[in-house]
Amino acid sequence: MMAPDDSSAARDQSAERFLRLLQQKQPGRLKVYLGLAAGVGKTYRMLQEANSLHQHGVDVVLGYVETHNRADTVAQLRSLPIIPRKTLFYKGRALEEMDLQAIVQRRPAVVIVDELAHSNVPGSQNEKRWQDVEALVKAGISVITALNVQHLESLHDQVLKITGTDVTERVPDQVLKRADEVVNIDLTVDELQTRLKEGKIYEAQKIPTALQHFFRADNLLQLRQLAVQEVSLLLGRQIENAPHGAAVAPEHRNTDRLLACINSNALAAKEIIRKTSRLADRLSAAVWYVLYVQTSHESAARIGLTAQRNLLNNLQLATELGAQILRVKDDDIVGTIQRVAQEKNATLLVCGATAEKTLWEKVTRRYITQRLVRALARSSPDLDIFLVMY
């Protein structure tokens, strides 16, 4: 993994590193080009690397590439073999998807797969393209792919606050964490806005709206910072886990253990889970848990099917982000959290705090939070508490 990669020498070194990984004859490798937004040049750089590998005699094919009709990008396709897309019919329309089965049967050494966050057409082998990529790597085929930082699951709430855009296509952070190499394709805000104005990203009629909304300078600056931070976190983790030399001695390894507490409030639970995932990454935590205390008021007979489904989805989200799930039935919320925190030797507790709007919320939710803080101050003075406001 590495930081911003924007020079010719850095590009050559990146390609050489991945080539060395391929030559180790181990299972499929994964390389991700990460960008702050559309138009930074991720697809172009992937194709540059594909051509370089091809020239070195590596069997590389194009599984799915979206050129957006950009002339420079299209020019990179000329000498590379392409796996034809598969046509699926959905609601009377013929739609094209990457042909996963054809790639597996062809068994190239490397396949280029664009737009990692893409949702496949219903009826496809997998619901998401990142699942296709995992299947390819598992089959022993190395993959080079691309992703914009706003599509990372744990960053959803931050991206929504920054841009006002609810990004619906998201990739679990674990996919990026399992990558052998992540390269940040970096552009300054001015360079990216210039590319947009020149029509190199969107069609002319979409440019004014993009500049006024998602591609505003302050938005792009914060997204750029998120991308740099993400690659830095991944690089730090790779150094910690290095098998030779750079590995951290056991006595110096981080022993932080995070415990996130949720209930059936779907939106609050999502934010708590994502926030804890980010904290676990920043702290290089040894482990993190998500605790759901099911009271009699939240039994299956007392909450609706939608709330139950949302709860299950949130627990699945936590699993995808790397958490261990703990489910306990008990009406004593404070006592249960206290007990579980002690059993798991938690060092940081993450829970929600609401800006109450009604008297009932003030009496119940604020009271529970206050009781929890007081109880932990007495029983576990070394346990830090992080409150997520929602």
Side-chain angles (χ1 to χ4, degrees):
M1 297 182 188
M2 57 183 298
D5 178 11
D6 52 11
S7 69
S8 177
R11 289 196 298 269
D12 292 342
Q13 291 171 4
S14 176
E16 288 173 7
R17 272 195 301 272
F18 197 64
L19 181 58
R20 287 196 296 272
L21 286 174
L22 295 174
Q23 291 168 340
Q24 292 174 11
K25 303 295 183 184
Q26 293 186 8
R29 301 289 190 170
L30 177 60
K31 180 171 184 173
V32 180
Y33 280 102
L34 184 71
L36 67 101
V40 297
K42 302 180 303 297
T43 302
Y44 182 80
R45 287 292 307 283
M46 279 198 305
L47 293 174
Q48 275 190 321
E49 179 159 354
N51 277 293
S52 176
L53 292 171
H54 185 65
Q55 290 166 11
H56 281 85
V58 176
D59 181 17
V60 55
V61 301
L62 305 180
Y64 189 96
V65 174
E66 193 60 71
T67 66
H68 298 287
N69 295 318
R70 295 167 189 157
D72 291 344
T73 305
V74 171
Q76 294 288 323
L77 302 177
R78 291 171 186 160
S79 61
L80 296 169
I82 299 174
I83 302 293
R85 298 180 186 181
K86 177 172 60 176
T87 300
L88 295 172
F89 291 90
Y90 180 66
K91 293 186 177 180
R93 296 175 58 199
L95 301 171
E96 292 184 336
E97 288 290 4
M98 182 177 75
D99 194 335
L100 176 61
Q101 188 174 2
I103 297 170
V104 172
Q105 289 176 344
R106 167 70 168 71
R107 297 198 65 81
V110 181
V111 60
I112 305 299
V113 180
D114 210 351
E115 299 189 350
L116 184 62
H118 171 77
S119 297
N120 292 331
V121 174
S124 300
Q125 184 172 332
N126 294 307
E127 181 183 354
K128 301 288 187 177
R129 185 164 291 160
W130 63 263
Q131 294 170 319
D132 292 339
V133 165
E134 287 195 329
L136 289 168
V137 172
K138 188 175 181 180
I141 299 170
S142 294
V143 179
I144 301 176
T145 188
L147 177 72
N148 287 327
V149 71
Q150 68 263 26
H151 293 286
L152 272 179
E153 180 64 60
S154 71
L155 291 176
H156 176 265
D157 299 308
Q158 285 179 258
V159 171
L160 180 59
K161 290 173 184 177
I162 292 170
T163 67
T165 300
D166 185 3
V167 178
T168 56
E169 292 186 318
R170 301 190 293 273
V171 174
D173 292 49
Q174 292 301 311
V175 176
L176 210 60
K177 291 175 185 176
R178 287 193 288 266
D180 298 280
E181 188 172 4
V182 178
V183 180
N184 181 26
I185 304 301
D186 191 36
L187 276 185
T188 67
V189 171
D190 288 342
E191 287 172 328
L192 187 54
Q193 286 188 326
T194 297
R195 287 178 59 82
L196 177 65
K197 293 171 185 176
E198 292 173 348
K200 294 181 178 179
I201 302 176
Y202 296 140
E203 297 173 354
Q205 63 270 25
K206 296 181 180 180
I207 295 173
T209 301
L211 284 169
Q212 293 170 12
H213 295 91
F214 194 90
F215 278 76
R216 281 171 33 197
D218 56 335
N219 288 351
L220 296 178
L221 190 62
Q222 292 182 77
L223 291 173
R224 187 185 187 199
Q225 184 177 12
L226 287 180
V228 171
Q229 287 176 347
E230 187 63 31
V231 175
S232 297
L233 284 171
L234 291 166
L235 181 60
R237 189 181 303 109
Q238 185 187 47
I239 291 171
E240 276 192 13
N241 297 329
H244 305 294
V248 179
E251 64 270 21
H252 298 304
R253 289 189 186 278
N254 197 321
T255 57
D256 280 322
R257 304 166 73 88
L258 279 58
L259 177 64
C261 304
I262 66 169
N263 58 20
S264 60
N265 183 324
L267 293 178
K270 275 191 176 70
E271 188 162 358
I272 290 168
I273 289 167
R274 290 175 179 136
K275 179 66 72 174
T276 310
S277 171
R278 300 301 298 175
L279 286 170
D281 278 347
R282 287 191 174 92
L283 295 171
S284 297
V287 66
W288 67 285
Y289 304 94
V290 168
L291 170 64
Y292 168 58
V293 181
Q294 182 183 29
T295 66
S296 56
H297 294 291
E298 291 199 343
S299 66
R302 301 288 292 272
I303 62 175
L305 290 175
T306 299
Q308 293 180 46
R309 185 168 58 250
N310 289 338
L311 174 62
L312 290 175
N313 288 339
N314 282 335
L315 294 176
Q316 177 61 35
L317 168 65
T319 300
E320 290 177 351
L321 290 174
Q324 295 184 30
I325 305 302
L326 306 171
R327 299 184 67 165
V328 180
K329 291 183 179 180
D330 202 313
D331 283 335
D332 182 5
I333 298 175
V334 172
T336 300
I337 294 173
Q338 225 177 333
R339 174 175 56 79
V340 172
Q342 291 174 344
E343 289 176 354
K344 299 300 181 182
N345 296 315
T347 57
L348 177 64
L349 180 73
V350 184
C351 54
T354 182
E356 301 87 352
K357 299 179 180 63
T358 68
L359 177 61
W360 175 249
E361 288 177 332
K362 290 179 181 179
V363 172
T364 56
R365 294 178 181 172
R366 178 179 288 178
Y367 178 59
I368 289 174
T369 302
Q370 289 176 343
R371 280 183 54 212
L372 177 61
V373 170
R374 288 170 183 163
L376 290 173
R378 291 192 299 269
S379 65
S380 308
D382 294 331
L383 176 63
D384 292 323
I385 301 175
F386 186 98
L387 295 179
V388 178
M389 303 300 298
Y390 61 89

